[in-house]
Amino acid sequence: MANQDLKTLDIVVLVSPHFNISATTSFVDPFRIANYLSGSSRFSWTYASDVGGAIESSSSLVVETVPLVNVTNRTPWLVLVSTSWTPERRVTPQFRVALQKWDAGGTIIGGLDTGAIVLAQAGLLKGKTATVHYEHIDAFAEIARDTTVSENMFIMDGRVFTCCGGTAATDLGLRFVHSVAGESLANASARYLFHHTVRDEGQSQNPKDMEPLGYVTSSIVRRAIDLMEAHLETTLSIPLISERLCVSQRQLSRLFRQYVQKSPVEYYRDIRLDRARGLVTQTELKFSEIAQASGFNGQVHFSRAYRNRFGLTPTADRVEGRVPFEFRAWPMFKPDIKSEGLS
């Protein structure tokens, strides 16, 4: 592909209110730098939205966009859908028609952050493998039943790509530069960005071998968390987890207090509630179904634990939790609460 002629490759970036501007510009920047370093306009890009005008990002920075109707008659090389909060509200009829038209015309199409949800609702992910930001993985699996959901940072499946966002968008952008402009320019662009290691498609969003600021967590705690995460719906007892890890409950509790500042019971309950919150705010599942999927035997116990952790009921959160935050930075909001036994 690197031997293509030097025509300018057209990129359309579709954004919605409260999109993640950092992830979006992380994807675009390798193309900007490739243009600069090559001294030519190898790539061009246009920011567009449903109705055009100023679109505010989740960090309050504003991007000027052209209306979607202004770009639908173009045949771009690549289209990126960048959404974050409430992506299901972005699938207007014109969005769906435009994406389907571009797909039929051979355009490369991708979703960034929660953009895969838009692609799924436009019918572009049937039978494909895709990813979203890990915060939305469970909801995505419920919404896109005909899609194989991956926790990798980005996925290429034919001409459709999906990416979790963050700095993974830079890796993906550099991969595209490499595919059409060659290794030399792609490497130079990566160096210019100080992106000295370009990750490949098989990288997990949450590698378990190290912490971002250093390897600090006990292997026993990591293995215990793996067991908990693998049994969110049908929970394991803490004694059984200890037995499987060949440690005493007392040692396991001490290690959890040391490394995560919570007891095993508290930690297990909280990750189940975090999963529940994603399903409450990002799907239309019944609360009884969410309670069961999160390992709670009864809806009353589930609602009480939910309110204790997040400060509002599932019913209220289904409304308020869909309002982007400057806003409400869950899951960072974690009030101190007394431990409740696992159901």
Side-chain angles (χ1 to χ4, degrees):
M1 297 179 67
N3 294 324
Q4 291 185 11
D5 59 35
L6 296 182
K7 68 178 181 180
T8 298
L9 296 176
D10 183 23
I11 301 170
V12 172
V13 182
L14 300 177
V15 300
S16 66
H18 312 299
F19 74 104
N20 188 307
I21 196 169
S22 175
T24 307
T25 56
S26 290
F27 179 82
V28 172
D29 228 22
F31 302 109
R32 175 188 67 84
I33 291 166
N35 283 352
Y36 171 70
L37 294 178
S38 67
S40 61
S41 298
R42 300 294 302 273
F43 307 96
S44 66
W45 50 93
T46 304
Y47 290 94
S49 63
D50 203 23
V51 297
I55 300 295
E56 186 175 5
S57 70
S58 59
S59 59
S60 299
L61 289 174
V62 173
V63 170
E64 285 293 331
T65 65
V66 302
L68 179 61
V69 68
N70 287 18
V71 295
T72 51
N73 287 330
R74 287 158 49 174
T75 305
W77 166 63
L78 184 150
V79 170
L80 176 73
V81 178
S82 180
T83 58
S84 184
W85 286 92
T86 61
E88 70 279 358
R89 297 180 183 174
R90 312 307 164 198
V91 191
T92 61
Q94 52 265 39
F95 242 80
R96 185 180 290 106
V97 168
L99 290 173
Q100 291 170 348
K101 174 189 173 185
W102 283 323
D103 180 55
T107 292
I108 299 168
I109 301 178
L112 185 64
D113 197 337
T114 62
I117 294 175
V118 175
L119 301 189
Q121 294 187 329
L124 272 59
L125 295 183
K126 291 181 180 179
K128 293 187 177 295
T129 300
T131 191
V132 292
H133 190 285
Y134 68 82
E135 183 179 50
H136 303 270
I137 285 284
D138 288 325
F140 183 48
E142 293 292 336
I143 292 168
R145 294 295 185 92
D146 53 6
T147 302
T148 300
V149 179
S150 169
E151 292 191 11
N152 285 352
M153 292 193 300
F154 58 89
I155 298 288
M156 291 292 307
D157 193 334
R159 288 182 290 100
V160 177
F161 68 91
T162 49
C163 177
C164 63
T167 59
T170 300
D171 297 279
L172 185 55
L174 288 166
R175 293 284 176 188
F176 278 118
V177 171
H178 178 270
S179 73
V180 296
E183 184 174 329
S184 179
L185 184 57
N187 281 333
S189 300
R191 284 194 295 271
Y192 195 89
L193 279 168
F194 301 104
H195 202 78
H196 296 140
T197 301
V198 180
R199 294 165 291 191
D200 61 29
E201 188 174 341
Q203 294 287 314
S204 170
Q205 294 183 35
N206 291 298
K208 300 181 182 300
D209 58 338
M210 65 183 300
E211 294 288 349
L213 296 180
Y215 187 90
V216 296
T217 305
S218 157
S219 62
I220 293 175
V221 171
R222 288 180 178 276
R223 288 161 55 202
I225 291 173
D226 286 344
L227 283 172
M228 292 174 181
E229 290 179 341
H231 297 84
L232 296 177
E233 183 169 348
T234 304
T235 59
L236 302 177
S237 67
I238 301 305
L240 181 56
I241 291 175
S242 300
E243 180 182 335
R244 290 192 180 185
L245 298 177
C246 300
V247 298
S248 67
Q249 283 184 248
R250 182 174 181 180
Q251 181 183 4
L252 186 64
S253 294
R254 179 181 61 79
L255 289 172
F256 263 80
R257 287 292 184 190
Q258 177 180 350
Y259 288 104
V260 298
Q261 290 77 55
K262 294 179 181 178
S263 72
V265 169
E266 291 171 328
Y267 188 90
Y268 202 175
R269 177 208 56 216
D270 285 352
I271 62 173
R272 288 159 48 217
L273 286 168
D274 288 347
R275 179 175 197 261
R277 193 169 205 191
L279 297 177
V280 165
T281 60
Q282 299 161 27
T283 75
E284 298 296 335
L285 288 174
K286 296 178 180 178
F287 295 142
S288 58
E289 295 173 326
I290 294 173
Q292 183 176 2
S294 306
F296 291 88
N297 289 333
Q299 192 171 337
V300 172
H301 180 205
F302 165 67
S303 296
R304 183 171 65 249
Y306 194 101
R307 182 166 187 167
N308 284 341
R309 177 151 172 76
F310 301 116
L312 68 175
T313 64
T315 301
D317 205 16
R318 176 152 280 179
V319 177
E320 296 184 28
R322 297 182 179 188
V323 177
F325 53 85
E326 290 130 291
F327 300 159
R328 322 174 343 101
W330 77 272
M332 302 307 292
F333 168 64
K334 295 180 179 179
D336 291 332
I337 57 177
K338 295 181 180 179
S339 173
E340 294 183 25
L342 291 173
S343 57

